[in-house]
Amino acid sequence: MMDDFKNEKRLHRRYAFQIVLQIREMLQALPSLVDIDVPEGKHFTVCGDVHGQFYDLVNIFQLNGLPSEDNPYLFNGDFVDRGSFSVEVILTLFAFKCMCPSAMYLARGNHESKSMNKIYGFEGEVRAKLNDKFVELFAEVFCCLPLAHVINGKVFVVHGGLFSVDGVKLSDIRAIDRFCEPPEEGLMCELLWSDPQPLPGRGPSKRGVGLSFGGDVTKRFLEENKLDLVLRSHEVKDEGYEVEHDGKLITVFSAPNYCDQVMFQLRGCSVTRTMDFLFLQLVTMPHPQVKPMAYANNFMGLFS
């Protein structure tokens, strides 16, 4: 399937239906906060936003190995939109999850939602490459994605960030009813949308949704939940990753040459039980001459 995708071929809708229906059943059975155990001596790779850049996803697997029980991955949200190969990305990730559930973990990002998909290209791409039925089916599956993961009881992995109030416990996140479109406020919204800031305290979000939170907020959340680190995505970084908040927060972004405009060097990380990190170097890969946002007709219409 991946070879066909690389050659710009499409998967028959029958098989796409089988993959998406199977992944829906698997995701529905998961909690909103998933615990991951990485045995001592084993490694675990966390990737940030991929945003429909299928050829860069293929490059990650070529550099770091295909997902397997001995080489597991967590893709930390924003699989789709902006890049024009989102269908290929999402079917590849879902297929690996179906083939070997312990090889692939998936978290929801702010772009796994109807409103974002309508504007930033995924909905139009799905209509073009599959059909209208898949638009609603993907939207339903996205509502089943877990909101966060905890690795070895120490690393909190979330797409966006932390909260507008102190005292949020992991049990509160487990209790979130996530089977809905993301609300505009509250814990679920903030998990998907928030960003760190250099100053202490909290401030308004530059995105207009969620909030900005300082190192003191990160420190208190970690201490209250007996965690060591927040690992998140959601933001473009010049080097592909950034360490902030006195080493207690790492952002990792996995879409090199994002939207064919920005050149990056570093983009993924391998997390071991001993909390050592290896940042996997990525360079942009050539892709067919289909521009980012090629299917975002509704978005482009806003400016016409």
Side-chain angles (χ1 to χ4, degrees):
M1 187 181 73
M2 290 175 66
D3 287 340
D4 282 347
F5 286 162
K6 283 187 283 186
N7 292 319
E8 298 183 75
K9 297 179 181 179
R10 296 179 182 174
L11 184 67
H12 193 287
R13 286 193 294 269
R14 172 184 175 182
Y15 304 115
F17 264 123
Q18 290 180 340
I19 291 171
V20 179
L21 291 175
Q22 185 174 338
I23 199 73
R24 181 180 66 177
E25 183 178 355
M26 295 176 69
L27 294 176
Q28 284 175 335
L30 295 176
S32 293
L33 176 65
V34 175
D35 290 292
I36 301 171
D37 179 55
V38 182
E40 190 166 359
K42 299 291 185 178
H43 70 273
F44 188 90
T45 301
V46 179
C47 294
D49 305 32
V50 178
H51 274 305
Q53 297 187 193
F54 174 73
Y55 294 85
D56 294 300
L57 174 65
V58 170
N59 187 45
I60 291 172
F61 293 153
Q62 289 174 338
L63 291 172
N64 198 56
L66 291 172
S68 68
E69 287 189 0
D70 292 327
N71 191 36
Y73 285 81
L74 165 55
F75 280 83
N76 197 30
D78 282 13
F79 321 123
V80 301
D81 281 338
R82 300 194 187 275
S84 294
F85 303 94
S86 294
V87 167
E88 290 81 359
V89 166
I90 199 66
L91 288 176
T92 298
L93 296 179
F94 282 179
F96 273 115
K97 181 69 176 176
C98 291
M99 184 174 68
C100 183
S102 62
M104 179 65 69
Y105 296 87
L106 301 168
R108 193 172 192 174
N110 62 304
H111 275 266
E112 278 70 54
S113 69
K114 284 184 180 180
S115 59
M116 301 298 280
N117 297 162
K118 185 177 290 293
I119 296 173
Y120 290 101
F122 183 58
E123 179 179 309
E125 185 181 341
V126 170
R127 293 188 194 280
K129 294 180 180 179
L130 295 167
N131 61 27
D132 290 355
K133 292 181 180 179
F134 276 92
V135 173
E136 289 301 318
L137 186 55
F138 276 117
E140 185 179 341
V141 172
F142 288 166
C143 291
C144 301
L145 286 163
L147 302 177
H149 294 75
V150 173
I151 302 173
N152 286 348
K154 293 298 182 183
V155 182
F156 180 70
V157 189
V158 65
H159 179 73
L162 300 181
F163 311 103
S164 56
V165 295
D166 290 330
V168 176
K169 299 294 176 55
L170 296 182
S171 57
D172 298 320
I173 300 170
R174 295 183 207 280
I176 295 173
D177 181 2
R178 70 185 189 278
F179 298 100
C180 61
E181 288 299 310
E184 295 186 3
E185 59 183 9
L187 298 186
M188 181 173 172
C189 169
E190 291 162 1
L191 285 165
L192 301 181
W193 280 95
S194 294
D195 297 290
Q197 65 180 23
L199 297 176
R202 295 177 171 91
S205 171
K206 60 191 176 186
R207 305 173 190 269
V209 187
L211 71 144
S212 297
F213 59 96
D216 55 330
V217 176
T218 298
K219 181 180 179 182
R220 283 196 299 272
F221 173 78
L222 293 174
E223 289 177 347
E224 289 171 353
N225 288 283
K226 298 179 181 179
L227 298 164
D228 293 337
L229 180 79
V230 174
L231 180 59
R232 45 89 64 179
S233 306
H234 195 40
E235 285 184 288
V236 178
K237 296 297 180 181
D238 290 343
E239 297 297 325
Y241 77 97
E242 186 173 358
V243 182
E244 302 173 79
H245 293 178
D246 297 323
K248 296 294 186 182
L249 182 144
I250 295 176
T251 299
V252 61
F253 190 85
S254 302
N257 195 22
Y258 181 51
C259 289
D260 287 354
Q261 296 180 36
V262 186
M263 297 300 295
F264 296 118
Q265 290 298 320
L266 303 176
R267 249 354 121 278
C269 70
S270 180
V271 184
T272 71
R273 190 184 182 96
T274 56
M275 296 289 293
D276 294 329
F277 292 91
L278 171 66
F279 291 94
L280 175 67
Q281 287 194 339
L282 301 179
V283 295
T284 185
M285 301 301 292
H287 62 75
Q289 294 302 307
V290 182
K291 294 184 180 298
M293 305 287 286
Y295 298 94
N297 296 326
N298 292 334
F299 178 79
M300 302 310 292
L302 294 176
F303 299 96
S304 62

